[in-house]
Amino acid sequence: MDWKTFQALLSGVNKYSTAFGRLWLSVVFVFRVLVYVVAAERVWGDEQKDFDCNTKQPGCANVCYDHFFPIAHIRLWALQLIFVTCPSLMVVMHVAYRDDRERKYKAKHGENTKLYNNTGKKHGGLWWTYLISLFAKTGIEIAFLYILHRIYNSFYLPRLVKCEVSPCPNVVDCYIGHPTEKKVFTYFMVGASALCIVLNICEIFYLIYKRIVQCAKKAPPYRPPAIRLEEKIRASAPNLSIS
């Protein structure tokens, strides 16, 4: 996987993100992508070779490995990183669409005219796109955490598993290679994913709160009905003053 291309695609998201969004992007690159590329891939490596069972029955070790590890942690995390960052590209594509509209508008009406004051400002449709991307990222994070927990029944990685799947002749003891290292990395990646979920939720509340404040400022000041009625009576009453 070309992580440099992956980073270049997401670097444009940083320009249109809030403080929470920039922090989320930093956590993704520093605590997830870099840890994945530098350390996690080496720890897992060819883990099937490190999966050792105390039997020489042909095919038993392969079947037991497939039973306990239907999908490797490292490949599941790669899919998670790809899927969880795709919603952010929706924002970049929406801004690119605005830039194209702005270019066509200037070509038609002159360079001194403007369709948008700022194509990257989060208002109108772009605000909704940004909010939807946050909900999508949060949902994807939660879904992958659930999948990981569902496949392995927990986030804990044991040293020894007992297998009795055919063609194993009886209950076979199988040992996982580097169990402590893998357990540490599993907890770390799960914790980083949970932190990203918290940041996404904080950003959702921040965007909604900011929009409510903006709408409240634009709304006309509230005037009690009694004052409005009094003004109407004064306006409709005849002028009885004697000059």
Side-chain angles (χ1 to χ4, degrees), residues 9 18 23-24 59 63 97 101 106 116 122 157 160 169 175 184 191-192 225 230 234:
L9 287 172
T18 64
L23 186 58
W24 175 86
V63 170
Y97 168 73
R101 286 192 65 191
K106 286 185 176 181
Y116 301 100
K122 291 182 288 295
L157 199 65
L160 169 69
Y175 302 89
V184 169
E230 184 179 351
R234 288 180 180 176

Side-chain angles (χ1 to χ4, degrees), residues 69-84:
F69 299 96
I71 180 171
H73 288 68
I74 201 74
R75 293 175 180 86
L76 189 64
W77 290 333
L79 287 174
Q80 182 179 5
L81 288 172
I82 293 170
F83 277 96
V84 84

Side-chain angles (χ1 to χ4, degrees), residues 110-124:
E111 289 295 326
N112 295 326
T113 58
K114 277 188 176 182
L115 183 61
Y116 301 100
N117 292 328
N118 184 358
T119 56
K121 189 175 181 181
K122 291 182 288 295
H123 61 81

Side-chain angles (χ1 to χ4, degrees), residues 11 65 79 95 100 134 146 152 165 176 191 217-218 224 240:
S11 59
Y65 176 82
L79 287 174
V95 174
D100 185 62
L134 291 175
Y146 173 77
Y152 300 107
V165 183
I176 300 172
K217 288 181 179 179
K218 292 179 180 179
L240 301 177

Side-chain angles (χ1 to χ4, degrees), residues 222-230:
Y222 175 74
R223 305 177 72 182
I227 296 177
R228 293 200 298 267
L229 181 60
E230 184 179 351

Side-chain angles (χ1 to χ4, degrees), residues 2-231:
D2 191 355
W3 292 107
K4 291 183 179 179
T5 305
F6 180 72
Q7 182 178 2
L9 287 172
L10 285 180
S11 59
V13 180
N14 194 49
K15 296 188 296 183
Y16 316 115
S17 300
T18 64
F20 289 107
R22 294 187 184 97
L23 186 58
W24 175 86
L25 202 59
S26 300
V27 170
V28 168
F29 279 120
V30 176
F31 293 103
R32 298 177 74 175
V33 174
L34 287 181
V35 170
Y36 178 93
V37 174
V38 174
E41 280 187 322
R42 296 181 182 180
V43 171
W44 259 263
D46 190 359
E47 54 187 309
Q48 190 167 357
K49 290 183 178 179
D50 298 329
F51 188 79
D52 188 25
C53 299
N54 59 353
T55 182
K56 297 298 182 180
Q57 177 70 25
C60 179
N62 291 336
V63 170
C64 289
Y65 176 82
D66 184 69
H67 176 73
F68 288 104
F69 299 96
I71 180 171
H73 288 68
I74 201 74
R75 293 175 180 86
L76 189 64
W77 290 333
L79 287 174
Q80 182 179 5
L81 288 172
I82 293 170
F83 277 96
V84 84
T85 49
C86 283
S88 298
L89 300 179
M90 292 167 54
V91 180
V92 178
M93 293 171 64
H94 196 139
V95 174
Y97 168 73
R98 280 187 166 188
D99 289 336
D100 185 62
R101 286 192 65 191
E102 183 74 19
R103 179 183 58 80
K104 291 179 179 178
Y105 186 83
K106 286 185 176 181
K108 184 176 181 180
H109 298 89
E111 289 295 326
N112 295 326
T113 58
K114 277 188 176 182
L115 183 61
Y116 301 100
N117 292 328
N118 184 358
T119 56
K121 189 175 181 181
K122 291 182 288 295
H123 61 81
L126 184 59
W127 185 88
W128 285 104
T129 301
Y130 196 93
L131 189 66
I132 291 170
S133 71
L134 291 175
F135 278 108
K137 287 190 292 186
T138 305
I140 292 170
E141 293 276 20
I142 294 173
F144 271 92
L145 286 180
Y146 173 77
I147 291 171
L148 182 64
H149 190 276
R150 179 77 175 179
I151 290 175
Y152 300 107
N153 295 323
S154 69
F155 299 124
Y156 177 77
L157 199 65
R159 298 173 182 270
L160 169 69
V161 292
K162 294 184 178 294
C163 178
E164 50 182 342
V165 183
S166 178
C168 298
N170 48 35
V171 179
V172 177
D173 293 335
C174 295
Y175 302 89
I176 300 172
H178 310 289
T180 303
E181 279 185 301
K182 291 178 180 179
K183 182 167 62 177
V184 169
F185 275 109
T186 300
Y187 286 151
F188 182 86
M189 295 297 279
V190 169
S193 182
L195 177 59
C196 288
I197 292 173
V198 172
L199 290 174
N200 286 332
I201 293 173
C202 290
E203 191 170 12
I204 288 171
F205 280 109
Y206 171 76
L207 283 177
I208 295 174
Y209 169 77
K210 193 173 179 181
R211 172 55 67 92
I212 292 173
V213 171
Q214 289 176 350
C215 292
K217 288 181 179 179
K218 292 179 180 179
Y222 175 74
R223 305 177 72 182
I227 296 177
R228 293 200 298 267
L229 181 60
E230 184 179 351
E231 290 178 350

